[in-house]
Amino acid sequence: MIIFQGVTKTYKGSQGEVSAIREISFKIDPREFVSLVGKSGAGKSTIIKLLTGEEKPTKGRIIFGSYDVTKQEQDELYRMRRHIGTVFQDFKLLPEKTAYENIAFALEIAGKPQTEIDELVPRALDIVGLGRQAYNFPREMSGGEKQRVAIARAMINNPDVIIADEPTGNLDPINTAEIINLLLKINELGTTIILATHNKDIINSLKRRVISLENGEIIRDEEKGKYILF
Ligand code: ADP
């Protein structure tokens, strides 16, 4: 369960204070697939950064499972983040590592033994449909393939939640559909998905819960929502 309770985040920038989100409240149940939508600057990334503890709220409370995110010390935050997988628009793969090594690295950091790595990485590559590209470097892969490696890496430690921040922003419509289908498949296997996007075709085809943001406030929160903002 994820809970945002009256959360406000104000950044102090060179131009003075910017209220990125104001009095945001919502709950996300385990195994939900939730899209966060809104124009650039609406507050999507701020919500994600607050959820992972990368930023602290100015006001309000954030709960992630058994963790009170707002009160965590740094080492507790690291522990909490093991339950979260992240996927970004620009993939964030390590350029000098192959697809296999990029995924394996996430297990190495988590201290998993080699035997487990040898078993889990090929299975993850299979799930994302990249068995044959295992030994390709990122520069040898298309955008869609790179994003599938990033998704395999995000799911390899079996997180409770995958946060995908504009994961299809650099992809064509065919690859976009494939990445969304992959996220749906991972959701069906039991992982909560939080998808931040401003792609209305995705939202309208998903027919899942949509939280719509405008100027840092929730203007709509609908089961099986549609993207009717703009
Ligand atoms: P989105 O992800 O929906 O594009 P953001 O959460 O990135 O929106 O931004 C929300 C608002 O907060 C914007 O007005 C943005 O300029 C501002 N903002 C975000 N990060 C910072 C920061 N580090 N310093 C100052 N202002 C920020």
Side-chain angles (χ1 to χ4, degrees):
M1 172 80 87
I2 292 167
I3 304 174
F4 270 57
Q5 215 170 57
V7 177
T8 294
K9 175 67 183 175
T10 305
Y11 290 106
K12 289 186 181 64
S14 50
Q15 320 284 319
E17 292 200 338
V18 181
S19 207
I21 58 167
R22 277 184 304 278
E23 290 292 331
I24 294 271
S25 298
F26 60 84
K27 280 186 194 164
I28 298 176
D29 284 323
R31 309 175 79 106
E32 270 199 85
F33 190 123
V34 182
S35 301
L36 283 178
V37 307
K39 290 192 243 198
S40 177
K44 305 181 293 293
S45 305
T46 299
I47 289 178
I48 288 170
K49 286 181 192 158
L50 290 168
L51 181 57
T52 58
E54 196 182 320
E55 293 283 357
K56 293 270 180 226
T58 312
K59 191 168 150 260
R61 196 155 175 229
I62 300 165
I63 305 290
F64 179 91
S66 59
Y67 297 88
D68 183 336
V69 184
T70 26
K71 288 198 183 136
Q72 296 312 315
E73 300 297 328
Q74 200 57 43
D75 56 340
E76 275 290 287
L77 278 181
Y78 288 133
R79 213 160 297 145
M80 180 191 88
R81 286 186 194 137
R82 287 188 201 150
H83 299 274
I84 303 176
T86 42
V87 178
F88 300 97
Q89 176 168 354
D90 59 355
F91 322 122
K92 298 201 192 300
L93 298 179
L94 296 167
E96 300 308 323
K97 288 188 186 288
T98 63
Y100 189 103
E101 289 164 347
N102 264 283
I103 302 164
F105 191 57
L107 289 167
E108 288 162 20
I109 292 174
K112 296 286 162 64
Q114 193 60 44
T115 47
E116 206 170 316
I117 296 175
D118 293 343
E119 190 186 326
L120 292 177
V121 177
R123 197 190 299 165
L125 281 162
D126 263 357
I127 291 175
V128 301
L130 281 181
R132 285 193 294 142
Q133 282 88 344
Y135 300 106
N136 284 11
F137 288 93
R139 63 177 174 276
E140 300 167 329
M141 288 184 265
S142 71
E145 287 168 347
K146 281 189 268 204
Q147 199 56 298
R148 283 191 268 159
V149 175
I151 290 174
R153 180 180 59 182
M155 62 184 278
I156 196 77
N157 279 305
N158 204 15
D160 300 317
V161 178
I162 289 184
I163 299 172
D165 193 356
E166 296 285 1
T168 60
N170 287 335
L171 305 181
D172 61 32
I174 291 173
N175 278 300
T176 292
E178 281 180 12
I179 291 299
I180 296 302
N181 283 336
L182 190 50
L183 291 174
L184 282 167
K185 182 166 143 190
I186 294 168
N187 178 243
E188 272 159 29
L189 296 173
T191 309
T192 306
I193 307 283
I194 301 177
L195 169 68
T197 183
H198 59 248
N199 182 326
K200 62 176 178 299
D201 296 335
I202 294 176
I203 301 301
N204 292 342
S205 67
L206 270 173
K207 299 184 176 63
R208 301 295 182 105
R209 181 174 170 196
V210 178
I211 298 178
S212 305
L213 294 161
E214 197 174 284
N215 294 326
E217 290 177 7
I218 293 180
I219 55 161
R220 214 172 290 123
D221 183 352
E222 290 176 319
E223 294 301 319
K224 304 196 177 174
K226 280 204 154 204
Y227 195 98
I228 49 173
L229 256 181
F230 314 114

